[in-house]
Amino acid sequence: MVLGGGGVLVMLGLWLYVWQPLMVEREAQSARIAGYLSTLQIARAAASGAPVIAPVAASTTPIGPRVTQSAEEAGIPLARLDPDGERLRITVAKAGFAEVTSWIASLEASSGVRAVAVEMDRLTEPGQISLRLTLEDVQ
């Protein structure tokens, strides 16, 4: 009887401390995998409808004149242009934040340049900033 009771206790211990924790963990992992699969399905559906952005053709015009022309069109007064090898450092003493951000976006979208570093400082006038910007040609 002691041996039979000991065998039952061993089986009960194995079921309680081995089998049950494994089953609980298996259920948790199954739920986690189902979540990953649904996220993957959503990502694939979103990727199929995502617009493809055509790369901007490399321009033969130097970066300085392209940036100067773009700034004039956007109404942004450039205080200083400093060539730095393949890059161009730009300083703007005072401009509107909204105008500057849309100008940088249009530079990257249509002028074939990429902003490498952008440093903006708030001025005392509302909505006005000073800007230090480093640009490079898109290769």
Side-chain angles (χ1 to χ4, degrees):
M1 181 139 143
V2 172
L3 283 175
V8 169
L9 282 177
V10 168
M11 294 302 287
L12 181 64
L14 285 174
W15 180 79
L16 188 61
Y17 294 110
V18 177
W19 184 257
Q20 280 300 107
L22 285 174
M23 291 299 110
V24 168
E25 187 63 27
R26 182 176 182 229
E27 298 255 346
Q29 294 302 328
S30 294
R32 186 177 293 158
I33 289 170
Y36 289 146
L37 290 175
S38 67
T39 303
L40 181 62
Q41 184 179 13
I42 291 169
R44 284 183 180 159
S48 65
V52 177
I53 299 173
V56 177
S59 177
T60 58
T61 308
I63 190 172
R66 283 186 283 159
V67 170
T68 304
Q69 179 184 5
S70 176
E72 287 174 359
E73 291 171 0
I76 296 178
L78 300 179
R80 189 172 174 177
L81 291 161
D82 293 322
D84 183 23
E86 295 292 318
R87 296 180 174 177
L88 181 67
R89 291 186 183 162
I90 299 168
T91 304
V92 176
K94 179 181 174 183
F97 175 77
E99 291 82 11
V100 167
T101 53
S102 64
W103 173 60
I104 293 171
S106 71
L107 273 175
E108 290 188 339
S110 61
S111 296
V113 296
R114 174 181 34 228
V116 177
V118 178
E119 188 177 330
M120 294 183 192
D121 292 320
R122 182 177 59 191
L123 298 177
T124 55
E125 294 179 43
Q128 298 296 305
I129 60 163
S130 65
L131 170 73
R132 285 171 300 287
L133 177 66
T134 303
L135 300 171
E136 69 180 5
D137 272 319
V138 174
Q139 301 297 333

